[in-house]
Amino acid sequence: MLAILAPGQGAQTPGFLTPWMERPAFAARMEWFATVCGLDLIAFGTKGDAEQIRDTAVAQPLLVAAGLAAATELGLGSDAASELPAAEPPAAELVFAGHSVGELTAAALAGVLSPEQAMVLVAERGRAMAAASATTPTGMTAVLGGDREVVLATIAEHGLTAANDNGSGQVVAAGTMEQLAAFAADPPEKARLVPLSVAGAFHTHHMAPAVDHLTGLAASITPGEPTAKLLSNADGVVVDSGKVFLARLVSQVSNPVRWDLCSATLLDLGVTGMIELLPGGTLTGLAKRAMRGVTGVPLRTPEDLAGAHALLTRGASS
């Protein structure tokens, strides 16, 4: 069993697309995705500074487009256009999972959404979440280390939401800036707090207006059925209905991400290898502690494609 993982917001860095634009198939896909969502994704991904690509309305479509374009380079997805040697059938069964907005990438690769549907939906998701964030100053803070139960209790005491439970001793607290300031002044014992460079309290009740908007849009989509195992952030379960997964994609905007449960499910399924799509590193980093012994290949530059391709075609035992 081989996992294909798609990272979420915060994984992007200035210029991360630059080395990839030398690959014609990748560049063509990015140009198409930019047209579909009405944003100059190539400019943002090659020339945009940290503040520009932090913008939720930019970051989310940029991440999904990059992940889908990278997947086509590996022969994955309905629009695969790999420049690597002719792809052999994967040597292992595939399971797809994405963190937060990465769920849209995973849904497209598993056949629930077309790439174009995913891009339209993520562009609207980003805009709606940015608008919801603008109503009240909110943010997110990563809590590293500390006793899990104490961390969760302290988060709740300050009226915050554990918006991301990532496992590996990492929980992300989200709420108003005043709540986060009080939390910083009274942190959980033995924990380190790291404010995140995001524009709002994602995956909390503060995102309810975005859910309302996306619910209307999703009603016009007829999803496909998953062609491979597809995990949900809500509880880590395998969802075998496209309609159910689409509904979960929408509701997840205002509900916590349980990546810890996704990691547990991947282990239960017998996953022995994983490829983290562009811009890789975050999820494979978490897996080093939560999924010890699992081979991980994060895609950062085109040089990483060979290792990922080998994992796909020879199996995780390679």
Side-chain angles (χ1 to χ4, degrees):
M1 182 74 72
L2 181 66
I4 308 297
L5 308 180
Q9 196 164 342
Q12 73 278 9
T13 56
F16 79 96
L17 282 189
T18 300
W20 294 85
M21 297 309 297
E22 297 180 6
R23 301 183 67 83
F26 184 96
R29 295 311 295 160
M30 288 301 302
E31 288 176 3
W32 173 239
F33 293 146
T35 300
V36 170
C37 70
L39 290 170
D40 193 346
L41 298 177
I42 294 174
F44 283 121
T46 57
K47 301 175 183 177
D49 60 28
E51 188 62 25
Q52 288 175 314
I53 62 173
R54 174 180 177 268
D55 182 349
T56 305
V58 171
Q60 293 193 14
L62 180 60
L63 285 166
V64 172
L68 291 176
T72 66
E73 291 288 307
L74 291 172
L76 300 173
S78 59
D79 58 347
S82 176
E83 294 173 28
L84 293 166
E88 305 168 23
E93 184 181 354
L94 299 182
V95 54
F96 294 93
H99 188 286
S100 187
V101 72
E103 279 198 301
L104 282 135
T105 312
L109 294 175
V112 172
L113 300 172
S114 70
E116 290 77 15
Q117 287 173 328
M119 289 308 305
V120 171
L121 199 56
V122 74
E124 289 298 319
R125 184 186 194 269
R127 282 191 283 266
M129 291 176 72
S133 299
T135 61
T136 303
T138 57
M140 305 178 82
T141 295
V143 187
L144 309 178
D147 179 88
R148 173 183 163 78
E149 296 308 316
V150 172
V151 168
L152 293 176
T154 307
I155 288 173
E157 286 170 7
H158 287 281
L160 296 164
T161 299
N164 296 166
D165 193 338
N166 291 327
S168 302
Q170 183 187 114
V171 177
V172 177
T176 68
M177 300 309 291
E178 290 81 2
Q179 291 170 327
L180 289 171
F183 182 60
D186 178 33
E189 185 178 0
K190 297 181 180 179
R192 182 165 64 93
L193 305 189
V194 180
L196 299 183
S197 181
V198 295
F202 306 144
H203 303 293
T204 72
H205 65 90
H206 294 285
M207 295 294 109
V211 173
D212 293 340
H213 177 62
L214 292 173
T215 297
L217 290 177
S220 67
I221 296 175
T222 301
E225 298 303 328
T227 57
K229 287 183 171 62
L230 179 62
L231 304 192
S232 170
N233 279 179
D235 47 18
V237 305
V238 176
V239 178
D240 57 11
S241 163
K243 184 177 180 180
V244 170
F245 196 82
L246 178 58
R248 282 175 170 240
L249 275 176
V250 173
S251 64
Q252 198 64 47
V253 169
S254 63
N255 284 289
V257 171
R258 293 300 306 269
W259 190 253
D260 60 326
L261 298 180
C262 289
S263 297
T265 298
L266 292 174
L267 287 175
D268 289 344
L269 290 172
V271 165
T272 53
M274 63 178 64
I275 296 170
E276 184 179 358
L277 299 172
L278 182 68
T282 302
L283 300 181
T284 43
L286 289 172
K288 287 180 181 179
R289 292 184 61 185
M291 302 176 66
R292 294 182 186 276
V294 175
T295 302
V297 178
L299 294 183
R300 297 187 178 94
T301 71
E303 285 68 32
D304 299 316
L305 284 170
H309 190 256
L311 198 60
L312 271 175
T313 57
R314 293 203 300 268
S317 61
S318 62

